[in-house]
């Protein structure tokens, strides 16, 4: 397990965070799952109710089941696309966070580590600067391939004859991120159009996003979720270290490829739809792990339910505190997520 | 005493007297003894010549360059006119600022990499650059007129470092936590900058974007003075601490038992590194990757263990001057910020480094 403790960002292994307490029983966690679903449902309702114009919850219900043409109905209708986007993006980010943390054995792993965000951003600025495409809903068709290509590049750079290890993946991600960030800066500083579009996209937001985006990114997200659903067992094996996992019969290489693909599809889809959003992929799995332990069979469904709840809650906060204007959800998650990370750091009493 | 000559658990004197790694030593009376390695001195000499050469090139190249034959006279007794303008306004301050900033970044990186035992360490890792950007965005655009932008960057960097200090719960004595908290602080600062970018008009946003990539354009003698004061005050501190740091590198237990006081040393070293980093940020904006690459290359060139503070300073200056020379003389009309070039080159260098290590199988 030597390599699990040498991940450069932390020097902590995920087992240290989870192994201290006995694993919670399924009998206790199953009701928890129902509770999480309940929380999500409540947040979904709040998301269509709360904003500059507040619609009382009973009225929301009426507007949803029997929409009329009144002002309240219109407001509720207008908030449905962003709520659905938040639901999809939050689930995708949280699940891809769980997968990346499992693959890199780094409890502070984040899909951004694999270059998803910079890949998408680089493709977008390139499209706008050189080909005149990439504004509005066209952006998805740049962001998705860009993100996927960046992940492939990270995997290619992170693999050698000896195979891929978590440390290599993280470092390769840092390299690709550094190079692409410089490229993005160079393009945005020399092409005003690209910069103007980029500065609004890079601040991830659910507001003013095209409802078309839902349909455009849904296939990728569904594929990603389906792949993720196959992975819990393999990820559990991977957590034991490559050698143990291999000797237990797990196919380590295949898990890494499939996991990378699932994480990339999910995170790329979410990023293409709403822009880069920090900390959902990092913080949600971490919070979930604090009560489920390291078993991916529980981690994945809990994260899929609580990820969107957290993202939409942040979105609601952004709508309320700057009312009648809005604070983009990307800003809110950064400022809410950073303290969560600090809390996590304090909680882990690993080796220094 | 030498880090590589003494094995843990052996008293330093015993280690020194084992003649295998005995080094030449400069002694001044009884209060200063400075062991040095011949290879380091040679490399240092070459780098110093490099600094000089790049300085000459910076001043002489291009349509506005001062011809080499006129340069001594121009420096000795500047006559008002074109030459004086180039020397005193256009390129002189920029050059002097570049040397000082490069040196400061090199030393800050060397200290950070040693103290965090992380070859990728640099003040940027704990959010110094991001904090400075946020400060610049805040005082430059959101609340204009309270502080000049460089002072705003300074405040931002210091606030970020203060947050890191508070966030770790152990001050600067725990490198692992420092990096983690730094990630969180960076994320907040970056989000804030991006937020500001969307709330101002495009021209203001472009100015901010150029500033936060780190630029040497339009520097004046004030910038040059500021960074050089910091270098002259703090680098001797770094050198003094360097000896203690060699002890800490052998592990906390060994260092403590030899009187190295590892926690205190680490805190002091981080403070000096932050001082240099913030001075650099105030002078030029956050220039990335110089602090990361300079100590690494310097260490490779010298083949020496330890922080290699002076060599890192020289190499930092060489990198920044070379990058700025390229930017100034680039065939593309618009001058890009120098920080962009260092980031691009730094990223490629990092990739090369990793590929090489992987071939050797050390990672």
């Amino acid at each position: 397990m030597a390599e699990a403790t040498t991940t450069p960002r932390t020097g902590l292994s995920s087992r240290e965070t989870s192994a201290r307490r006995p694993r919670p029983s399924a009998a206790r966690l199953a009701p928890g799952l129902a509770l999480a679903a309940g929380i999500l449902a409540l947040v979904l309702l709040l998301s269509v109710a709360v904003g500059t114009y507040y619609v009382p919850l009973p009225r929301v219900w009426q507007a949803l089941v029997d929409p009329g043409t009144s002002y309240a109905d219109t407001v509720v209708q207008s908030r449905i696309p962003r709520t659905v986007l938040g639901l999809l993006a939050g689930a995708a980010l949280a699940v891809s966070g769980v997968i990346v943390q499992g693959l890199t054995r780094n409890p502070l792993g984040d899909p951004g580590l694999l270059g998803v965000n910079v890949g998408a951003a680089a493709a977008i600025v390139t499209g706008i600067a050189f080909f005149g495409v990439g504004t509005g809903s066209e952006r998805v068709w740049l962001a998705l391939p860009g993100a996927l290509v960046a992940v492939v590049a990270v995997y290619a750079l992170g693999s050698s004859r000896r195979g891929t290890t978590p440390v290599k993946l993280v470092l390769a991600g840092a390299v690709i991120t550094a190079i692409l960030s410089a490229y993005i800066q160079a393009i945005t500083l020399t092409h005003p159009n690209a910069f103007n579009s980029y500065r609004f996209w890079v601040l991830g937001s659910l507001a003013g996003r095209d409802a078309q985006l839902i349909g455009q990114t849904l296939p990728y997200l569904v594929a990603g979720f389906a792949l993720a659903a196959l992975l819990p067992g393999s990820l559990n094996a991977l957590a034991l270290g490559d050698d143990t996992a291999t000797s237990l019969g797990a196919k380590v290489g295949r898990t890494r490829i499939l996991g990378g693909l699932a994480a990339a599809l999910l995170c790329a889809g979410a990023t293409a739809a709403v822009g880069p959003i920090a900390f959902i992929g990092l913080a949600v799995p971490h919070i979930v792990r604090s009560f489920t332990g390291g078993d991916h069979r529980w981690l994945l469904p809990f994260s899929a339910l609580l990820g969107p709840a957290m993202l939409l809650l942040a979105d609601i906060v952004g709508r309320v505190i700057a009312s009648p204007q809005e604070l983009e959800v990307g800003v809110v998650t950064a400022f809410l997520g950073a303290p969560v990370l600090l809390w996590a750091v304090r909680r882990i009493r690993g080796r220094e | 005493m030498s880090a590589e000559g003494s094995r843990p658990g052996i008293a330093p004197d015993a280690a020194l007297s084992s003649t295998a790694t005995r080094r030449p030593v400069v002694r001044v009376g009884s209060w200063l003894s400075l062991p040095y390695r011949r290879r380091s001195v040679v490399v240092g000499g070459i780098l110093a010549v490099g600094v000089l050469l790049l300085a000459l090139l910076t001043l002489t190249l291009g349509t506005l360059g001062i011809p080499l034959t006129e340069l001594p006279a121009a420096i000795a007794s500047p006559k008002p006119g074109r030459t004086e303008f180039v020397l005193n306004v256009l390129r002189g301050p920029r050059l002097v600022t570049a040397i000082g900033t490069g040196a400061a970044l090199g030393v800050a990186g060397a200290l950070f990499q040693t103290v965090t035992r992380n070859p990728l360490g640099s003040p940027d890792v704990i959010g110094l650059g991001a904090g400075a950007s946020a400060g610049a965005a805040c005082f430059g655009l959101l609340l204009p007129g309270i502080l000049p932008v460089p002072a705003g960057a300074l405040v931002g960097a210091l606030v970020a470092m203060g947050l890191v200090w508070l966030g770790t719960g152990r001050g600067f004595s725990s490198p692992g936590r420092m990096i983690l908290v730094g990630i969180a602080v960076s994320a907040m600062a970056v989000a804030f900058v991006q937020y500001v970018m969307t709330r101002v008009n495009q021209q203001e946003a472009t100015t901010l974007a150029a500033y936060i990539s780190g630029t040497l354009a339009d520097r004046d003698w004030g910038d040059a003075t500021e960074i050089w004061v910091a270098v002259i005050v703090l680098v001797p501190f770094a050198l003094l601490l360097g000896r203690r740091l060699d002890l800490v590198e052998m592990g906390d237990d060994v260092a403590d038992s030899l009187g190295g006081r590892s926690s205190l040393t680490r805190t002091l070293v981080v403070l000096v590194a932050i001082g240099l980093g913030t001075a650099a940020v105030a002078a030029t904006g956050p220039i990335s990757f110089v602090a990361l690459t300079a100590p690494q290359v310097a260490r490779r060139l010298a083949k020496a263990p330890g922080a290699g503070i002076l060599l890192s300073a020289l190499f930092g200056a060489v990198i920044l001057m070379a990058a700025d020379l390229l930017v100034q003389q680039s065939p593309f009309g618009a001058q890009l910020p120098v920080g962009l070039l260092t980031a691009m080159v730094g990223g490629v260098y990092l990739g090369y480094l990793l590929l090489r290590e992987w071939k050797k199988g050390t990672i």
Side-chain angles (χ1 to χ4, degrees), chain A residues 41 72-73 96 168 178 190 215 225 239 276-277 295 300:
Chain A
D73 289 333
S96 72
K168 283 185 192 172
T190 47
F225 283 125
I277 290 179
D295 188 344
L300 282 169

Side-chain angles (χ1 to χ4, degrees), chain A residues 14 17 45 57 61 71 85 101 166 169 182 188 227 230 265 310 333 350:
Chain A
S14 55
T17 59
L45 279 178
L57 279 181
W61 187 249
Y71 186 59
L85 268 178
Q101 292 179 8
L169 274 184
T188 50
L227 263 179
L230 299 175
L265 281 171
M310 183 137 159
T333 54

Side-chain angles (χ1 to χ4, degrees), chain A residues 3 19 69 71 89 109 127 136 178 185 190 226 232 247 280 295 304 309 311 329:
Chain A
E3 58 196 6
T69 51
Y71 186 59
Q185 270 185 319
T190 47
S247 65
I280 296 291
D295 188 344
L311 181 61
V329 70

Side-chain angles (χ1 to χ4, degrees), chain A residues 198-261:
Chain A
Y198 171 76
R199 69 185 168 123
F200 289 105
W201 175 80
V202 77
L203 195 56
S205 168
L206 298 176
R209 303 293 184 201
D210 201 331
Q212 268 184 306
L213 288 169
I214 300 170
Q216 284 169 333
T217 49
L218 199 57
Y220 302 91
L221 296 181
V222 169
F225 283 125
L227 263 179
L230 299 175
L231 285 171
S234 324
L235 286 175
N236 281 347
L238 208 61
L240 301 171
D242 286 5
D243 296 343
T244 315
T246 309
S247 65
L248 287 175
K251 297 199 169 51
V252 172
R254 197 185 64 182
T255 307
R256 250 188 214 117
I257 302 273
L258 287 182
L261 184 63

Side-chain angles (χ1 to χ4, degrees), chain A residues 242-335:
Chain A
D242 286 5
D243 296 343
T244 315
T246 309
S247 65
L248 287 175
K251 297 199 169 51
V252 172
R254 197 185 64 182
T255 307
R256 250 188 214 117
I257 302 273
L258 287 182
L261 184 63
L265 281 171
L266 289 171
C267 184
T271 306
V274 298
I277 290 179
F279 279 115
I280 296 291
L282 178 71
V284 172
H286 214 95
I287 296 169
V288 171
R289 199 175 284 117
S290 71
F291 58 80
T292 62
D295 188 344
H296 287 84
R297 286 171 302 179
W298 292 108
L299 263 176
L300 282 169
F302 268 108
S303 297
L305 290 172
L306 292 179
M310 183 137 159
L311 181 61
L312 285 168
L313 218 50
D315 188 43
I316 294 169
V317 169
R319 279 182 244 168
V320 172
I321 59 172
S323 176
Q325 290 189 317
E326 278 196 23
L327 202 56
E328 284 80 354
V329 70
V331 182
V332 181
T333 54
F335 277 84

